[in-house]
Amino acid sequence: MDGVHDLGGKPGFGKVDKTGEDEVFHERWEGAVFTMVGAGSVAGAWYHSDQFRHAVERIAPEAYLTHGYYGRWLGGLETLLVEAGIVSRDELEKKVAEMGGADTDLVAANPSDDPDPLGEKPAKPGARRSVKTQPLFSVGDRVRTSKDSVPGHTRLPAYARDKVGEVISCHGGWVYPDTAAHGRGEDPQHLFTVRFTSEALWNKAGFSVSLDLFEPYLALEESDV
Amino acid sequence: MSDAKPQALRAEALESLLIEKGLLTSELVDEVVHRYSERVGPMNGARLVARAWLEPEFKKSLLEDATAVVADYNFEGGEVQKLVVVENTPEIHNAVVCTLCSCYPWGVLGLPPKWYKDPAYRARIVSEPREVLTEMGVELDDDIEIRVWDSSAEVRYMVLPMPPQDIEGKSLKELETRVTRDSMIGVQRV
């Protein structure tokens, strides 16, 4: 999904601001959100972290850029709690009003009226899985990334689409976020680290960027020689 | 009207609802905040780095299979299913980012600093790393190759910074205190 979260290479953000860098949580509510995300997972509002990540990607874009990290998490959490029927929007609005909130406050959460299915509960914890097929690529292969923008969750950032890089390591099989995030199953895929030169990505010299990319994003690049 | 930020107020409202529903306790919030503030943090990564500086065999294992090395340490904080450690040398400088969200090796570095999660770092470090590093205090000669690692899946990355010039005669404990969080992200030198 080409959402506002897909920030790599986007212009206009200015210098890195290191204010407040030594505090883990700046205010109590940030720690509460962190804890509530754990509780939301325990309560079964989602099964895969990919589902939570996608919910964060779906929040109001203006909130994504202004509410901070735990504000984004709050938006994703509320989205999934409402979609799962654990909390209703009405009861939350009522509580917010009781506590002094205003109707005009920007709300990050963006629950769908027709949410994705929750999917099956994973049989194993974590995201490492075995894959029956052999990996399509080996270290040293040149691969081209998909040029397609996909509507849902994906781990191929826009800046690395339709680019040629070199496979530098193979990490075995992992839950495929593109399906797991939508409750469409784990569909494990081989994962590769692919290194792209700065020339290939940005047409300038001096550095490389490496990304961990799933097999379906990649195709072998035929050599011209 | 409250003076609190709207997101702070909404978080408190949601917390109160989840407590009413029996899905959360405020004691749990306090406990989690304490754990992540006190016991999970870059001190874990610093132990690995300092030891790698002193013990070549350990360094070799760390660079070859950091996941296995970290498993032996049993650090609190988890969330590292696969860890890759990348080494800074006089010719190569590494820096870590997650452009799509804010993936970070919690088990060895704790929770990420605010700037790591903010748009500016995520947007710029993959397209103009030399400029960003200079702004953050790491001046690199033009012939030093910069390698940026955009952690886009479940693999997590940590930088093994170059040892300090005055490493001679220093103990493991002394060296651990010299390793900074930012040096293990790759935006500072030791």
Side-chain angles (χ1 to χ4, degrees), chain A residues 18, chain B residues 88-89 92-95 115 121 125 128-142 144-146 159 161-162 180 182-190:
Chain A
K18 297 193 83 186
Chain B
N88 282 353
T89 68
I92 294 165
H93 184 91
N94 296 279
W115 58 263
Y121 181 75
I125 193 76
E128 43 179 359
R130 204 170 293 270
E131 292 82 350
V132 173
L133 290 170
T134 302
E135 287 168 18
M136 295 180 85
V138 182
E139 299 263 1
L140 296 169
D141 290 341
D142 283 347
I144 294 178
E145 178 193 338
I146 300 174
V159 175
M162 282 197 289
T180 61
D182 286 6
S183 71
M184 294 182 281
I185 304 174
V187 299
Q188 199 175 56
R189 286 200 180 91
V190 174

Side-chain angles (χ1 to χ4, degrees), chain A residues 72-84:
Chain A
R72 300 198 287 273
W73 272 36
L74 172 66
L77 173 68
E78 182 186 326
T79 298
L80 291 181
L81 289 173
V82 170
E83 288 181 350

Side-chain angles (χ1 to χ4, degrees), chain A:
Chain A
M1 183 177 102
D2 286 2
V4 67
H5 70 283
D6 190 354
L7 284 164
K10 297 285 192 302
F13 287 108
K15 291 194 174 172
V16 176
D17 177 5
K18 297 193 83 186
T19 311
E21 64 168 334
D22 292 322
E23 293 159 81
V24 174
F25 301 112
H26 300 84
E27 294 173 25
R28 187 185 181 280
W29 72 270
E30 297 188 344
V33 168
F34 184 80
T35 312
M36 285 194 281
V37 167
S41 167
V42 170
W46 63 91
Y47 290 142
H48 290 282
S49 58
D50 312 290
Q51 291 164 304
F52 179 69
R53 275 182 65 161
H54 188 51
V56 171
E57 295 168 358
R58 289 189 281 135
I59 68 170
E62 56 271 51
Y64 192 98
L65 293 175
T66 58
H67 279 191
Y69 180 67
Y70 292 106
R72 300 198 287 273
W73 272 36
L74 172 66
L77 173 68
E78 182 186 326
T79 298
L80 291 181
L81 289 173
V82 170
E83 288 181 350
I86 294 171
V87 166
S88 81
R89 197 89 194 229
D90 286 348
E91 63 180 339
L92 182 58
E93 294 303 351
K94 192 163 157 269
K95 184 70 79 178
V96 170
E98 275 171 27
M99 295 176 75
D103 291 347
T104 50
D105 289 345
L106 173 60
V107 174
N110 187 21
S112 168
D113 295 333
D114 182 23
D116 282 330
L118 196 52
E120 278 181 44
K121 194 169 181 172
K124 286 175 64 179
R128 276 179 186 262
R129 298 290 186 269
S130 57
V131 182
K132 291 189 185 77
T133 54
Q134 290 298 306
L136 288 179
F137 315 110
S138 325
V139 169
D141 282 349
R142 282 165 54 78
V143 289
R144 182 180 290 272
T145 52
S146 167
K147 65 178 178 358
D148 299 331
S149 164
V150 296
H153 182 68
T154 187
R155 303 297 178 85
L156 175 61
Y159 78 87
R161 283 202 297 248
D162 197 20
K163 305 289 184 196
V164 175
E166 182 185 345
V167 174
I168 60 166
S169 49
C170 308
H171 299 290
W174 295 77
V175 170
Y176 189 37
D178 299 44
T179 53
H182 296 282
R184 294 201 307 262
E186 297 193 340
D187 191 20
Q189 301 289 337
H190 289 287
L191 180 70
F192 306 88
T193 304
V194 182
R195 178 174 290 157
F196 300 89
T197 64
S198 51
E199 284 86 353
L201 292 176
W202 313 107
N203 199 23
K204 59 183 177 184
F207 65 98
S208 66
V209 181
S210 298
L211 290 133
D212 297 324
L213 300 175
F214 292 87
E215 197 169 75
Y217 306 158
L218 305 170
L220 200 62
E221 176 76 355
E222 300 299 336
S223 173
D224 292 338
V225 287

